Amino acid sequence: MRYVRRVNASPRTGRVVLLTASHRVAPGLLSWPAWEALRTADRVVCADPEHPQLPYVREAGVTVEAGGLPTARALVDDCAQGRTTVVIATAEGEPQLTDSLAALAGSGRTEMPELELLPGSYDLPGARFLDLVQVMDSVRTHCPWSGARTHEGLAKYGIEEMYELVEAIEEGDRAALCEELGDVLLQVVFHARIAQEDPEEPFSVDDVAGGIVEKLIHRHPHVFGEEEAATADDVREHWLRTKAAEKRRESVTEGIPLGQPALALAAKLAQRVRVAGLGVPEAPGRPGAPEAPETSGVPEAPKTQGVPEAPGKSGVPEVPAEGESAGAGSAGVGVGEELLALAVRAEAAGVDPETALRAAARAYRDAIRAAEGVGERDGDEDGHTASP
């Protein structure tokens, strides 16, 4: 797209073309109008002798005067008799020159050439991600603190940033949501930059992005292939079928990180059992499983004014599909109150509810694998070797 301004211009006054290019696009990749303007210009000038476009422009046979710019008055005079001058702009856009040209045009006393802004290349969506990668590289290289970080040392920050993101979502704060998404993205880029330095198995942010792109395309054959999916349930069936073929897992428990919060762990295990149609009892009812903490005589959790009493199992809503949320409806509030009551009772009994539920969830995991006829999993106890 060209932007042309004719101010006090006549056919004899020529043109001044300000040619801009995105530094996020590889040098030399200019639009056809840009190359046409460069090849047909009577004069091409550039203030920066190290401008990344210059080697490619000169290789195309275009002579460039680099190292300084004429004054606005000199440019206007040089464009007399229909001459054209192309100014290859620096990243800042040559504001001093454009301001001076605007002042001459505004005076009404100068016969002006056509003033044209010609973008030679454009930023595509996601272009600022390239800036982030470049900045992260500089930070990793030159910052003593960032240069010493490891994957293990950064792990806690990733967890903190995800909690802050969830809080921003729950509060409906759009500005905070944008900021927290950026903080989470930083964690991804930071870890990818650290991974580049691994002496045995290095990978980069391009490998990370390439992997998820390939996964998304493969798991969406209704978008990128020939399969059809009319409903969200159809999409989910595609996703589960494709994922199962990719992972070739022996057990539905594989890929569930045991290091996550106990309640999320228990819910994930239950969801996998439900989807697989396995008849596995809860771990505490299993012979040899750890007994539930004794809480007899402990007072019930205090009821909140105006909040209905938590329903029994019959009032618990159906577990949502993987990746979905039960929301905060009346049934969800009831379940939340029931969980809160259990936490209050456990605390009063001197039992850490997180530890207790984690132990029960691990026993439940073992019961699932036993029902599947699968032995104990390889890798460490926390499941760090599990595939996502």
Side-chain angles (χ1 to χ4, degrees), residues 31 50 162 165:
S31 64
E50 303 298 325
M162 281 305 305
L165 172 61

Side-chain angles (χ1 to χ4, degrees), residues 42-193:
D42 298 288
R43 186 184 186 191
V44 179
V45 297
C46 181
D48 181 9
E50 303 298 325
H51 196 292
Q53 297 289 349
L54 294 189
Y56 302 92
V57 173
R58 286 171 172 152
E59 187 177 354
V62 177
T63 301
V64 183
E65 302 171 25
L69 288 181
T71 64
R73 169 61 68 181
L75 272 180
V76 170
D77 292 343
D78 190 55
C79 287
Q81 306 303 318
R83 289 170 57 83
T84 295
T85 297
V86 173
V87 179
I88 300 178
T90 59
E92 292 74 25
E94 310 300 350
Q96 183 175 354
L97 175 63
T98 54
D99 288 348
S100 298
L101 287 170
L104 286 176
S107 70
R109 298 188 297 271
T110 302
E111 188 176 38
M112 296 293 295
E114 289 183 1
L115 304 179
E116 178 177 348
L117 174 61
L118 178 57
S121 58
Y122 304 83
D123 283 343
L124 297 175
R128 295 308 302 271
F129 183 75
L130 300 178
D131 292 346
L132 174 58
V133 172
Q134 185 177 35
V135 169
M136 185 67 251
D137 184 69
S138 297
V139 169
R140 176 68 174 177
T141 303
H142 301 293
C143 173
W145 185 90
S146 298
R149 293 312 95 194
T150 63
H151 293 302
E152 293 76 12
L154 281 181
K156 63 179 181 180
Y157 299 108
I159 296 172
E160 291 174 4
E161 297 299 354
M162 281 305 305
Y163 279 130
E164 291 177 9
L165 172 61
V166 171
E167 182 178 5
I169 293 172
E170 292 176 342
E171 293 182 352
D173 189 331
R174 301 291 294 176
L177 175 59
C178 181
E179 179 181 355
E180 298 304 336
L181 284 170
D183 289 342
V184 171
L185 181 59
L186 170 61
Q187 294 299 311
V188 175
V189 175
F190 204 160
H191 278 284
R193 179 60 183 82

Side-chain angles (χ1 to χ4, degrees), residues 194-368:
I194 294 173
Q196 286 183 226
E197 302 168 5
D198 189 276
E200 297 179 357
E201 297 181 271
F203 60 83
S204 69
V205 70
D206 287 327
D207 298 310
V208 174
I212 193 61
V213 166
E214 182 178 351
K215 181 184 292 185
L216 284 172
I217 292 174
H218 186 58
R219 293 188 183 177
H220 290 79
H222 54 289
V223 176
F224 303 100
E226 297 181 354
E227 293 196 36
E228 296 183 359
T231 67
D233 287 339
D234 293 339
V235 173
R236 185 164 174 271
E237 287 301 319
H238 284 325
W239 182 277
L240 292 176
R241 186 169 61 251
T242 306
K243 186 175 181 180
E246 289 175 354
K247 300 298 183 181
R248 301 186 182 278
R249 289 168 171 161
E250 295 182 346
S251 169
V252 297
T253 65
E254 293 180 18
I256 300 178
L258 299 185
Q260 64 184 303
L263 188 58
L265 171 61
K268 189 66 175 179
L269 288 168
Q271 183 268 332
R272 289 282 181 92
V273 167
R274 178 180 59 82
V275 171
L278 297 173
V280 183
E282 287 79 2
R286 210 173 117 262
E291 295 183 1
E294 177 59 46
T295 57
S296 59
V298 178
E300 294 288 337
K303 296 293 187 293
T304 304
Q305 186 73 22
V307 177
E309 185 174 346
K313 276 193 174 182
S314 60
V316 178
E318 181 183 355
V319 180
E322 185 173 3
E324 298 179 357
S325 172
S330 59
V333 170
V335 172
E337 289 292 317
E338 192 172 4
L339 291 171
L340 175 61
L342 286 173
V344 171
R345 290 172 58 196
E347 190 280 330
V351 175
D352 176 23
E354 173 73 15
T355 301
L357 180 57
R358 183 175 298 282
R362 287 172 180 260
Y364 187 38
R365 187 275 311 264
D366 293 341
I368 296 170

